[in-house]
Amino acid sequence: MKILIKNGLVIDPANNIHEKKNLFIKDGTIAEDGSFSEGEADRIIDAEGLLVMPGFVDLHVHFRDPGFEYKETVETGSAAAACGGVTSVCAMPNTKPVTDSAETVRYVIEKGKKCGLTNVLPVAAVTVGQEGRELTDFGALKEAGAIAVSEDGKSVMDIVTYREAMKLAAENDMLIMAHCEERELVNGGVINSGEKQKELGLAGIGSSVEDVITARDIFLAGETGARLHLCHCSTKASVELVRMAKKLGYNVTAEVCPHHFTLSDEDIPCDDAMYKMNPPLRGREDVKTLIEGLGDGTMEVISTDHAPHSAEEKQKGFSKSPFGIVGLETSFALAYTRLVETGVLTLDGLVEKMSVNPSRIIGIDKGNLAEGKPADICIADINEEYVINPDEFKSKGKNTPFGGMRVKGRIKYTLLNGQVVFENGTLKSEKEQRKMQ
Ligand code: DOR
Ligand code: ZN
Ligand code: ZN
């Protein structure tokens, strides 16, 4: 199978490429420039006026499978990824059962392969059942295909247990992805502490909830030599702590989610759980510092923390709804609109944060359009303006605060291993189904 992507603006920062050119794909991989003629191509994609980028790599999604299939499945989550130009995802382990065994790791991988819409890379739990006591078998989990370990959804609160986890991660050369939240300090909080919280009469989550554990984890990583990746950083101090960690030479990287750099708690209109996630939307100063951290390279990754929940669950207001919003189908548009249009990041910078850096951090051979690399590609129109409509999401979760927001940047095509899995609003699987009818 030969595909020619014609006349697109290719943004491939891993190879210092930012130019209008043709891209040749043969048997699933990037082929040499000019390796076949137009006439020889099985398919020509006209990318005139469009961006051609390495597919995005989202280090943080919840696919809810196994166990919470009413919220999302590997199929629907993969579909959402393909729509968002995301060709690899790290699936967090807070499933039922928890992804703490080789068996569950293999289940997620197999299901992901069967769907064939995005590379699904399972993240295994740090402790058995995510109960915070007994460490899982990192070696066996890695062997089964776990890409990293994380206790996401919470922190391992016992510091000695977590230090052991870091040692074990370092020994097994496994990345540890940290959700930083001091459980005792949360104390029933559901929204950022501050004016908005008082106005709505809800229990607050102070910044220290995140900051004290972020600091703890950085020092543990420094001492044990573990590779630490900080999930969904939301506070000013988190950015400063990452800066410090890098200065000290520790192996620490960090991600910011689109909701945390797009909205502050001041944007919460009322007691609407579409704005409820963990960590919460923070203050304006925090948002400003997160954006600065993205701009100056301190924060290397944009990931979504795609956290689908049912409509029923999210109807119950801040106090009673679960934390989390979906993100896979809006991440590129939000990042482009909020960071590139405003001059915080260049297009190359955006591709670095959404594809190149995350690939490097988890050690996969993606985020790169050099000859011989797997043809995981996304093609976008940055001139297309539209209003986000959650009813159009392929994810089961429609829980987003971004419905009705006007953004710029639409994903037009997504290719996975040289196969078009999404084009102009339609998934490969939908197209095949239509053909069969
Ligand atoms: O908002 C969140 N949702 N934060 C988390 O840490 C967990 C996630 C979920 O699993 O729903
Ligand atoms: Zn988390
Ligand atoms: Zn998460």
Side-chain angles (χ1 to χ4, degrees):
M1 177 82 174
K2 296 191 189 81
I3 301 179
L4 172 62
I5 302 175
K6 232 177 111 176
N7 292 330
L9 177 62
V10 177
I11 311 283
D12 179 19
N15 296 294
N16 276 316
I17 290 171
H18 181 136
E19 67 187 48
K20 191 171 176 183
K21 69 194 277 283
N22 295 339
L23 202 65
F24 296 79
I25 298 161
K26 204 171 148 186
D27 302 329
T29 56
I30 310 285
E32 195 187 337
D33 277 353
S35 60
F36 50 84
S37 69
E38 242 178 73
E40 285 170 316
D42 298 293
R43 163 127 206 227
I44 297 176
I45 295 175
D46 180 9
E48 180 71 45
L50 306 178
L51 296 186
V52 178
M53 301 169 276
F56 302 135
V57 176
D58 193 331
L59 294 188
H60 194 147
V61 308
H62 296 269
F63 275 4
R64 310 297 192 204
D65 189 351
F68 301 101
E69 290 86 351
Y70 71 96
K71 294 179 196 263
E72 192 82 294
T73 61
V74 172
E75 284 96 340
T76 56
S78 298
C83 293
V86 177
T87 49
S88 296
V89 298
C90 294
M92 286 298 177
N94 57 344
T95 47
K96 199 165 90 189
V98 164
T99 309
D100 60 3
S101 68
E103 192 189 341
T104 308
V105 167
R106 281 195 290 265
Y107 164 84
V108 176
I109 293 174
E110 284 310 313
K111 208 158 172 196
K113 282 199 180 133
K114 221 164 114 193
C115 298
L117 292 171
T118 194
N119 298 302
V120 183
L121 310 168
V123 177
V126 175
T127 69
V128 175
Q130 287 194 280
E131 284 174 355
R133 289 190 292 270
E134 189 193 336
L135 296 184
T136 56
D137 186 343
F138 290 10
L141 292 162
K142 183 178 179 177
E143 172 103 22
I147 195 80
V149 289
S150 177
E151 201 81 333
D152 190 52
K154 52 183 154 181
S155 293
V156 174
M157 284 317 307
D158 185 77
I159 194 166
V160 178
T161 304
Y162 210 44
R163 186 178 59 182
E164 286 310 304
M166 293 246 189
K167 280 189 198 158
L168 195 59
E171 276 165 28
N172 285 279
D173 191 23
M174 254 187 140
L175 178 71
I176 192 153
M177 302 172 101
H179 166 118
C180 299
E181 180 185 12
E182 160 51 69
R183 192 173 56 204
E184 299 299 320
L185 293 180
V186 178
N187 198 21
V190 292
I191 186 171
N192 186 44
S193 299
E195 286 306 311
K196 183 61 71 168
Q197 168 247 323
K198 285 184 203 134
E199 182 191 315
L200 296 175
L202 297 164
I205 303 174
S207 296
S208 62
V209 163
E210 177 170 327
D211 301 337
V212 294
I213 299 295
T214 302
R216 180 198 77 168
D217 290 2
I218 285 172
F219 290 120
L220 291 177
E223 187 174 274
T224 57
R227 286 191 288 128
L228 174 69
H229 178 74
L230 299 164
C231 295
H232 44 50
C233 295
S234 75
T235 66
K236 205 170 148 173
S238 278
V239 179
E240 291 300 338
L241 287 164
V242 174
R243 231 172 240 144
M244 174 202 72
K246 290 190 165 177
K247 228 172 168 176
L248 291 170
Y250 299 166
N251 225 325
V252 173
T253 54
E255 69 190 26
V256 184
C257 304
H259 46 275
H260 288 130
F261 63 69
T262 304
L263 300 173
S264 78
D265 59 355
E266 292 177 37
D267 297 309
I268 302 172
C270 56
D271 185 1
D272 177 358
M274 290 302 182
Y275 293 81
K276 180 183 179 185
M277 73 292 286
N278 192 15
L281 296 175
R282 298 289 190 183
R284 261 203 219 166
E285 273 292 304
D286 297 293
V287 176
K288 187 169 158 265
T289 311
L290 290 169
I291 292 173
E292 279 165 14
L294 284 162
D296 70 17
T298 305
M299 312 307 270
E300 295 176 70
V301 172
I302 295 171
S303 68
T304 61
D305 197 4
H306 175 84
H309 293 291
S310 72
E312 204 191 347
E313 288 169 310
K314 278 299 214 178
Q315 262 160 19
K316 297 174 183 164
F318 263 86
S319 292
K320 296 206 179 76
S321 303
F323 289 99
I325 62 165
V326 290
L328 278 166
E329 292 167 83
T330 49
S331 54
F332 174 70
L334 291 171
Y336 178 75
T337 305
R338 186 67 177 177
L339 302 175
V340 181
E341 286 266 296
T342 56
V344 175
L345 293 179
T346 59
L347 277 174
D348 298 70
L350 185 72
V351 172
E352 281 170 5
K353 292 198 202 288
M354 294 189 70
S355 183
V356 182
N357 297 342
S359 299
R360 187 198 76 231
I361 290 166
I362 55 171
I364 58 171
D365 194 16
K366 310 276 185 187
N368 188 326
L369 299 178
E371 189 189 331
K373 300 290 178 189
D376 287 4
I377 293 169
C378 110
I379 303 177
D381 183 354
I382 50 172
N383 295 312
E384 186 170 332
E385 246 184 278
Y386 63 101
V387 173
I388 293 172
N389 178 3
D391 294 336
E392 289 170 3
F393 291 169
K394 309 282 180 191
S395 169
K396 280 194 190 182
K398 316 295 176 198
N399 47 311
T400 174
F402 297 114
M405 185 185 265
R406 181 167 281 278
V407 289
K408 242 175 137 178
R410 176 83 94 174
I411 304 298
K412 291 296 191 186
Y413 299 86
T414 306
L415 281 78
L416 186 73
N417 290 313
Q419 273 211 37
V420 179
V421 292
F422 173 78
E423 63 179 296
N424 295 315
T426 306
L427 293 162
K428 177 188 78 173
S429 44
E430 292 169 339
K431 226 173 141 187
E432 280 163 6
Q433 267 168 20
R434 246 178 255 161
K435 261 189 231 153
M436 274 162 22
Q437 277 164 5

